[in-house]
Every structure is written in C-alpha cells, then in structure tokens.
Amino acid sequence: MELSTKTSRIEVVDALRGFAVMAILLVHNLEHFIFPVYPESSPEWLTILDNGVLNVIFSLFAGKSYAIFALLFGFTFYIQSHNQLLKGKDFGYRFLWRMILLVGFATLNAAFFPAGDVLLLFAVVSLILFIVRKWSDKAILITSIIFLLQPIEWYHYVMSLFNPGYTLPDLNVGAMYDEVAAYTKGGNFWEFLTGNVTLGQKASLFWAIGAGRFLQTAGLFLFGLYIGRKQLFVTTESHLKFWIKALIIAAICFAPLYSLKEQIMQSDSSLIKQTVGTALDMWQKFAFTIVLVSSFILLYQKERFKKAVSNLRFYGKMSLTNYISQSILGAIIYFPFGFYLAPYCGYTLSLIIGIVLLLLQVQFCKWWLTRHKQGPLETIWHKWTWLGTKK
C-alpha cells in the first residue's frame, strides 16, 4: 500500500511540475521571451484574436505558473531533506551547495533570457529553507503566511500615511531594462550574452523586489515544505477533502481580491498602486494558483484526465532541462541574432510556436527517459550535488 501511495504522489507532482513549465513556456512565447517586438499592423480579425489569446493565457498562467514552480521547489526540498533524515543525515549544507550549482544553471538560462532568470531568485531566497529546516510545522506555516501577506508593501503604505512626502526607493529598474532592450535589438550576440548575465540578472532581482516576488517566493517555498511534511500530495480521503476545501476557499477569495486589485490600480497615487496594489495582486494570483493546483490534483484522480495529461509527467521529470532549453530556443526564434521572427509574430502565432515547441520538447523527454533515469541537466545537477560523497 505504501508503495502505491508513493508512486501516486510522485506522478501527480511530476505532472503538476510539467503543467507549470508548460504554462511558463506559453507565457514566455507570447512575451517573445521578454522581447516586446510585434507586427506593426494586422488584419482586424487577427487583432481581435490576438487580444483574446493574450487575455486568456495571461489570465490563466501569468504569475501563477512561476508560483506553482516555487511551491514545488519547497516540496522537493522536503523530499530530499526527509530522505537524508531517514539516513541520519542533515541535508541542509548539501542543499546550500546545490543552490550554488543552481546559480550556475541560472546564469546559463539568463544568457539567453534578457529579463534575468527566476532560478537566480530561487537560489537567493532558498536560504530561508535552510534556516527553517528544523522548525516545527506550525512555525513554518505561520512564517509562510507572514511572507505571503507582503509585510514590506504594507510597511511602505503605512509610512506614507504618516509622512505624505514618503517615497519608495528608486531601484532604477526601468532604465536598466531600457539598456537591456537596446543591446538586444542591436543583435550583437556576445554583447547580448554578457549583458544578460550581468545587467539582466541585476534588473531581474531589483524588479522582483518592487514586484513583491522575494517575499512571495519565500512564502511559497515554505508552503510547499509544509505540504510535503503533511504529505498532502499523497492520495488519501482526508487529503482530497483538504484540496476540495482549498479549492472552494481560494475560488471564493479570488473574485473580491481581483476586484480590489483592479480598483486600487485605478488610483491616482503611484505609491498606493506599488504597495497596496502589489500586495493585492500577489494575493489574487496566489488564490488563483491554489485554484489551479487543487483542481489539477482533484482531476488527476480521474483516469480520463490522468491519461490526457500523462505526457506532462515526462515533461515535469525534465523540468530544468526543458526550462533552460526553452530560453535558448526562444532566443534563436525571436531575437535579432537568430531568425528574428518577433516582428512577424503576433500573440496567436506566438502561441502556436509555443505549442509546437512544447510538443517537440515532450517527444524529446519521452525518448530521453526511455534511455536515462533523468534529463541531461538534471543528471548533472544530481551528480554535482553529491560530489565527494557516497549518497
């Protein structure tokens, strides 16, 4: 019984991770991998279709796919640390070494992704997992909630109430991204690479500060760790009831949070939009993320749905390989040093390209995993993680 439970849990996690990476791929294709160059004019029917595609994909996945990825990052930390704990070992310091390796993968990905890479953010924020690894479940859950409440944004807002002249720190993100856009359009490949791994990464981290991503990522990591400790991905009657309750509560919360966020974003005060607006935006995205996760888990109990998304399991097992290869392929397709298709691809055509890339990546995953236990980058990460030890 234990064996079947474990297998079921691993399957749904792999499929969910594959779903998140798929969503990231589709969003990034619509964004031309953060290279906002599009056709100057299109037929009216195509413009309408493009706007519909943009609204649907961004409403479903933007800000949520990364959140699922972060949630599962915390869960994976639980699996790895728990496995070592069973052997009487502390995974903490080995995990820090693993995160140093992740910085290397983040640099590889960022070289082809001009907006900087979320893996670097994960590597930086992951320190919180090392710190709390021996804390109680209750302490981890409370800390997760505190992070997700976005206390820094509320601090800035409260300070502005007492001091009308209060301003937010200027991190100069806009100017940095203007410079990134300039060398990207220039088409010089080496300038593109070096700029991305330096200025692009800096701009990404500074943007994450202003967008509330640091605290949200930390909160999601801890929530994923909590889910792991409570074994909520294991299919039992009580756990399925938990996900049903989570779905209902998150669905009820989403609409008012989204409405409040939209109202705040119409404010004349940029400070209110950047503080209260940011917090509410994070909350409504978190609520929708829980809707997606809980819906996926509950639907996965149905054989028809499980069969329909079965390829996502292969895709999720090679998430690091797929995530980084997406950026490389996207840069070649859309950027000036490559095929430079960005000026010819509206949102609809970009979505079609994303779907084609997804299908190609899935086929590669299925072929590779019939011959190897892990993806190519996953294998390197695993071997280097345990370098110098007998695992």
Side-chain angles (χ1 to χ4, degrees):
M1 182 64 181
E2 178 64 27
L3 180 60
S4 61
T5 301
K6 184 178 180 182
T7 301
S8 175
R9 174 178 58 83
I10 292 174
E11 280 188 3
V12 72
V13 169
D14 281 336
L16 188 57
R17 185 178 287 109
F19 173 77
V21 179
M22 175 201 72
I24 291 171
L25 171 63
L26 298 182
V27 169
H28 281 173
N29 266 274
L30 263 62
E31 295 176 323
H32 291 172
F33 291 81
I34 321 298
F35 183 55
V37 175
Y38 298 92
E40 294 183 0
S41 62
S42 299
E44 184 178 358
W45 67 269
L46 184 55
T47 300
I48 294 172
L49 183 59
D50 281 343
N51 289 334
V53 166
L54 177 67
N55 290 333
V56 169
I57 296 300
F58 268 66
S59 296
L60 285 175
F61 301 136
K64 296 91 176 180
S65 48
Y66 123 86
I68 297 173
F69 212 37
L71 196 71
L72 295 180
F73 188 93
F75 173 79
T76 301
F77 172 79
Y78 160 75
I79 293 296
Q80 293 169 329
S81 58
H82 180 68
N83 287 342
Q84 291 304 300
L85 187 62
L86 292 177
K87 300 176 182 179
K89 299 178 182 179
D90 178 7
F91 180 64
Y93 294 96
R94 184 61 54 172
F95 175 72
L96 293 181
W97 164 241
R98 184 173 172 84
M99 291 303 97
I100 292 174
L101 296 174
L102 185 61
V103 172
F105 289 115
T107 303
L108 171 61
N109 192 67
F112 295 89
F113 193 73
D117 181 59
V118 73
L119 294 180
L120 180 61
L121 174 66
F122 279 20
V124 173
V125 178
S126 67
L127 182 62
I128 189 64
L129 290 170
F130 174 81
I131 293 172
V132 309
R133 69 191 189 283
K134 296 181 181 180
W135 288 12
S136 68
D137 295 348
K138 183 178 180 180
I140 287 173
L141 179 61
I142 291 173
T143 307
S144 173
I145 293 171
I146 291 173
F147 284 144
L148 291 172
L149 288 175
Q150 296 291 332
I152 292 178
E153 307 307 326
W154 290 106
Y155 167 80
H156 286 307
Y157 173 65
V158 171
M159 290 298 293
S160 72
L161 296 178
F162 291 98
N163 179 11
Y166 186 81
T167 58
L168 296 175
D170 183 9
L171 301 177
N172 207 31
V173 174
M176 284 189 281
Y177 275 131
D178 287 342
E179 189 176 339
V180 169
Y183 68 66
T184 301
K185 289 180 181 179
N188 184 297
F189 182 67
W190 294 112
E191 185 178 353
F192 175 77
L193 292 185
T194 56
N196 285 349
V197 300
T198 53
L199 181 64
Q201 288 284 57
K202 178 182 177 181
S204 176
L205 288 178
F206 280 27
W207 172 84
I209 294 172
R213 284 285 181 94
F214 268 85
L215 290 189
Q216 192 199 40
T217 301
L220 290 167
F221 282 179
L222 296 188
F223 191 47
L225 173 58
Y226 180 80
I227 287 174
R229 286 192 175 188
K230 294 299 182 180
Q231 303 209 4
L232 294 176
F233 285 135
V234 177
T235 303
T236 66
E237 185 177 349
S238 62
H239 294 161
L240 291 179
K241 287 181 179 178
F242 167 85
W243 289 114
I244 292 172
K245 290 178 182 177
L247 173 60
I248 294 171
I249 294 172
I252 292 173
C253 291
F254 170 72
L257 287 173
Y258 181 83
S259 179
L260 281 172
K261 187 265 296 187
E262 289 295 302
Q263 292 181 39
I264 290 296
M265 287 305 182
Q266 296 176 13
S267 171
D268 294 330
S269 170
S270 61
L271 187 142
I272 291 177
K273 288 190 286 188
Q274 293 175 50
T275 55
V276 179
T278 294
L280 289 172
D281 185 51
M282 292 291 100
W283 293 356
Q284 63 93 9
K285 286 177 178 174
F286 175 71
F288 199 81
T289 298
I290 297 302
V291 169
L292 290 175
V293 171
S294 54
S295 297
F296 192 96
I297 291 171
L298 293 170
L299 287 170
Y300 201 79
Q301 309 311 311
K302 309 294 183 181
E303 286 301 322
R304 183 176 296 181
F305 181 81
K306 183 186 292 188
K307 185 177 180 181
V309 301
S310 60
N311 284 337
L312 290 180
R313 290 190 292 112
F314 301 102
Y315 200 58
K317 287 179 181 178
M318 290 176 49
S319 57
L320 181 64
T321 297
N322 289 323
Y323 181 73
I324 292 179
S325 61
Q326 286 174 18
S327 298
I328 297 172
L329 292 170
I332 294 171
I333 292 170
Y334 294 112
F335 293 167
F337 71 81
F339 297 129
Y340 197 31
L341 296 185
Y344 310 101
C345 297
Y347 296 123
T348 304
L349 183 53
S350 299
L351 176 62
I352 293 172
I353 292 173
I355 293 171
V356 171
L357 287 178
L358 171 66
L359 295 175
L360 291 173
Q361 284 190 311
V362 167
Q363 289 304 311
F364 175 74
C365 291
K366 293 174 73 173
W367 173 81
W368 183 273
L369 290 173
T370 59
R371 294 160 173 79
H372 307 86
K373 291 183 179 180
Q374 296 175 305
L377 295 186
E378 287 78 6
T379 300
I380 294 172
W381 199 17
H382 178 80
K383 286 183 177 180
W384 288 3
T385 294
W386 299 103
L387 202 64
T389 66
K390 292 184 178 179
K391 184 175 175 295

